[in-house]
Amino acid sequence: MPEMIDQIFVLLKHWLLAYVPAALQPIVSAVLSVVPVLVAFPLLFAITTVLERKGLGRMQNRYGPNRVGPFGILQPMADGIKSLTKEDIIPRTADQVVHFLAPVMLVIASFVVYSVLPIGKNMVLANLNAGVLFFFAVGSMVELSVFMAGWSSRSKYSLLGAMRAIAQMISYEMPLVLASVVVIMAAGSLSTVAIVNMQAGYTGIWPRWYVFTPWGLTGFVIFMIAATAESNRCPFDMPEGESEIIAGYYIEYSGFKFALFFLGEYLGMFATSAMAITLFLGGWAAPFSFLTWIPSYVWFFVKLLIIIMAFIWVRGTLPRLRMDQLMNFAWKFMLPLSIINIVGAGVWHLIPAGFTRWLIDSLLVIVSCVLLSRGIRRGKSFHVRTYRFAS
Amino acid sequence: MLGEGILKGLTETARNFLGSYVSKDRLTTIQFPEERLPQIEATRDFPFLVYDGTEWEAGLRCVSCQICEKECPPKCIYIEKSKDKKPDATGKLQFYPTTFNIDISVCMSCQICVEVCPFDAIKMNVEFEMSSEDRFGGLLLRKEQLAKSNEYYNKIHPTEATAVDAALAEERAKAEAKARQTTEAKAATPAPMATPEAGETK
């Protein structure tokens, strides 16, 4: 019975497909797979926006939205109606076509990456044998659309925002990919489905997730930090920087195009979080062997919501980084650490299982982390800032 | 250690997050339309006209001297002076405003009209929910909307109104005493007609 509930969506799809003539089956099958993703994740976006606003409010000792519907849960609908009815302004000097294409492309790119993410057991749109590679390749399209938006608006603020975004995204793309290399080394496959299947077993009641190894934990932390930067969220929201460059690359966007940018950004965040789950947190696998009766897709979304919660928590805590801090952190800390981590993962596979490899790997990571952080701080003296005023 | 400050910050926000559900004192928000903070006594926004007694039209203190109209920095007051005189609240014959308009979309709440009024006829109101669908007509307050009783004034600014009432009563008593003196003097020596005191109006 648990098995059937777990596979209910797969069975439902096959049952529906049986009623379709054979010639139409491939296309109907594709539609039946894609539509749930197109519905579920924007819905998650709507829920996330209201949860984020309420959560941030509580962290700042405010109520957050509580007027629309019970406890403000209908707020996203009000926001949607508002953005649909707003005037869509295109600057006269803007490049009309590119200006229009940028948000569309962002949303398309954000949706396409979901095709390789296993949402549950046997629930993946396309089991590509280079799934991880596909994910990062399509994910880079976000950079392109961001720059399209910034460049086509013909506004100095949007161009500044786009330049910052490109600098930041390219810098953090590298640790992001290098952090996932350790998992590819361990799993021996680029297929997301194979990676999850590798982690789906249990030793005793404990799961075999990659995050429970020294290199996995380091990789996960690096991946999450880089994912925060990739999705332009606090504390890496330099490209948007409301207080400096107003809204960065989407300053010239209004109405529903702005909402599309917003949607694309959140979808990107969900996608990278889902990738982190797939690579390090065992995808749809249950955290304990005795909890496998809960359907796999439930576990996937629970993990996703926990990661989103962490994103919101970090956003409510940290202030925005400065550009030089951002770049120093990416190039002087994240990149060397992720490369050392790859070495650590290699060492792990060479040494036979036991306490030794734990010790060696942990030491490698901790020592390099301490040294690198010391390297960042070198030549910097922290003191209370004093101001001199003209007399 | 790298990241120590981040952990401290995270605990702080977590404490805020959980604490806001436990203790109501943390949430300083006043849920406005349902909950309201009491206004402080010196609150002011737009001017209104004070009248004595119960009949607003008869009891208006304003004698249409038009000082406020002239002093108003953004020129939001418009007064038309009457041709005839009518008895005021104390029964004395006075000019009165046939039109008294204040455009509150122009008014900047500076209180200069209140300070220059020699008759304590114009005071500042505290009512602020005055939104209107009519952008021009709805924000132009006429005489009948501006007239508010002295009791209302006492209610919204008690300290200030008591002082004003005391000063007015004193002035009135003084004027009566003077009037009695002149009548007595007139009775004693039938002299040429004594001119009525122009400044003493109430």
Side-chain angles (χ1 to χ4, degrees), chain B residues 3 6 11 26 89-90 98-99 102-103 111 121 146 152 154 166-167 172 178 187-188 192:
Chain B
I6 293 177
T11 26
R26 278 176 171 272
T90 51
T98 49
T99 314
I102 294 179
D103 191 343
Q111 213 183 355
L146 288 169
Y152 175 76
N154 269 289
R172 232 166 255 169
K178 207 168 192 181

Side-chain angles (χ1 to χ4, degrees), chain A residues 197-216:
Chain A
N197 285 338
M198 285 287 288
Q199 300 178 72
Y202 298 91
T203 29
I205 58 161
W206 304 103
R208 289 190 204 138
W209 299 355
Y210 290 137
V211 75
F212 298 125
T213 53
W215 49 268

